[in-house]
Amino acid sequence: MLDAVSPTELAFALLVVFFACTVFSAMGFGIGIVGLPFLFLMFDPATSIILLNAMALPVVILVAMRNREHLRPREIVPIVVAGIIGAMIGGWVLAMLDIAEYKDIFGIGVLVVIIAITVGGMFRMPFRLPRASILGPVCGFLVGVFITGTGVGGPLLVLFFISQGWGRQGTRAGMALYFIFMGTALLVSYGLNDLYTPARTTLLLASIVPAIIAALVGDRIAKSLTDVVWRRAVVGLVLVSSAFALATKVVSVMSA
C-alpha cells in the first residue's frame, strides 16, 4: 500500500490523469485501458484504480452538463439500474473467490468478447440482435460486472449506443450519465472499506484540476470531430487497447 507520494510520482500521476481523462472525455470511455498500464509502472494496482475511478467522476459530470441536451434519461435509467446490480454481483463473486487466476481468465474472456463484438460490428451480423429495451440493460449489467471485476468494460456499452444510432454526443452523454451513478457507488464503497490513505488522498486532491482541464479539452476535441471520424476512432481505440491488454494478460498467464 502506498504510504507517501514523492514529487516525481505526483508529477507522473498528474500527467497520466490528464492524458487518460482527455481520452475519456473525447471518446466516452477508455480512462482505465489508457491510464492503468502507465500508472502500474509506478503505483500499486489499488492506488491506480482508485485514482482513475475517482477522477472519472468530475469528468463525466462536466461532460453530462455540457451535453445535457443529448441526455436520454428514460432510456438510460434501466441500463444504469442493471449496471449497479451487475457491480454488486461482480464484487460479491470476486470477494467470495479471491483467486488471482480467476481474475486473469475473467479479464481475458471480457477482452475477447469486446474484440469480437467490435469486429462483428464492422460487418453485417448473420443474426438479429435483441431489442434495445432488452440489449441495453444486458450491456449495462455486463459492464457493471466487468468494471468491478477487471476494470475494463466501457467499450461494450459504447458499441451498444453506437448501434442504436446515438452519435458521438448522445453516446458520450449516455456514458457520462451511466458513470455518474457507477462512480458515485464506487467512491462510497472505497470509503466504507477505508481505502482512502493519506497518500491516495493527496493524489486525488492534486488530480482534480488536471482532470477538469482534461475534460474540457476532450469535450472540445469531440465536438470538432464528425460522427464518422469519431466512430472510427472509437473502433480503433477499442481494437488496439483491447488487443494490447489481451496480449499482456496472455503473457502473464503463460509466464506464471
Side-chain angles (χ1 to χ4, degrees), residues 30-235:
I31 189 170
I33 52 182
V34 169
L36 286 178
F38 293 102
L39 290 179
F40 286 162
L41 297 175
M42 195 165 288
F43 302 102
D44 61 274
T47 298
S48 303
I49 293 170
I50 290 171
L51 176 60
L52 289 184
N53 280 342
M55 289 305 100
L57 193 55
V59 174
V60 294
I61 291 175
L62 190 144
V63 171
M65 290 176 58
R66 292 177 67 87
N67 296 275
R68 54 186 176 273
E69 68 274 13
H70 299 283
L71 291 173
R72 305 185 185 191
R74 185 173 300 178
E75 297 177 51
I76 201 70
V77 166
I79 299 175
V80 169
V81 173
I84 294 175
I85 295 174
M88 294 172 59
I89 294 176
W92 177 78
V93 171
L94 289 176
M96 289 292 291
L97 295 178
D98 195 23
I99 301 174
E101 289 79 4
Y102 165 81
K103 293 180 181 180
D104 287 332
I105 295 172
F106 188 69
I108 291 173
V110 171
L111 293 170
V112 168
V113 170
I114 291 173
I115 293 174
I117 292 177
T118 304
V119 175
M122 298 178 183
F123 305 97
R124 185 179 299 276
M125 295 185 179
F127 54 87
R128 295 189 62 182
L129 292 174
R131 291 169 50 191
S133 59
I134 298 175
L135 187 59
V138 169
C139 289
F141 173 81
L142 292 176
V143 170
V145 174
F146 293 167
I147 289 177
T148 304
T150 68
V152 179
L156 184 61
L157 197 53
V158 168
L159 294 172
F160 166 73
F161 289 146
I162 291 177
S163 72
Q164 301 304 305
W166 284 29
R168 70 186 189 285
Q169 303 293 44
T171 297
R172 291 173 62 246
M175 291 297 293
L177 192 58
Y178 178 86
F179 278 111
I180 284 175
F181 289 95
M182 291 290 294
T184 301
L186 288 172
L187 291 182
V188 172
S189 177
Y190 293 153
L192 293 176
N193 288 281
D194 297 321
L195 293 175
Y196 294 119
T197 64
R200 290 171 182 168
T201 302
T202 299
L203 285 172
L204 293 175
L205 293 176
S207 299
I208 292 176
V209 172
I212 293 175
I213 296 174
L216 294 170
V217 173
D219 186 65
R220 194 176 190 87
I221 292 173
K223 290 184 176 180
S224 67
L225 302 176
T226 65
D227 277 356
V228 173
V229 173
W230 178 84
R231 193 179 301 112
R232 289 175 179 172
V234 167
V235 172

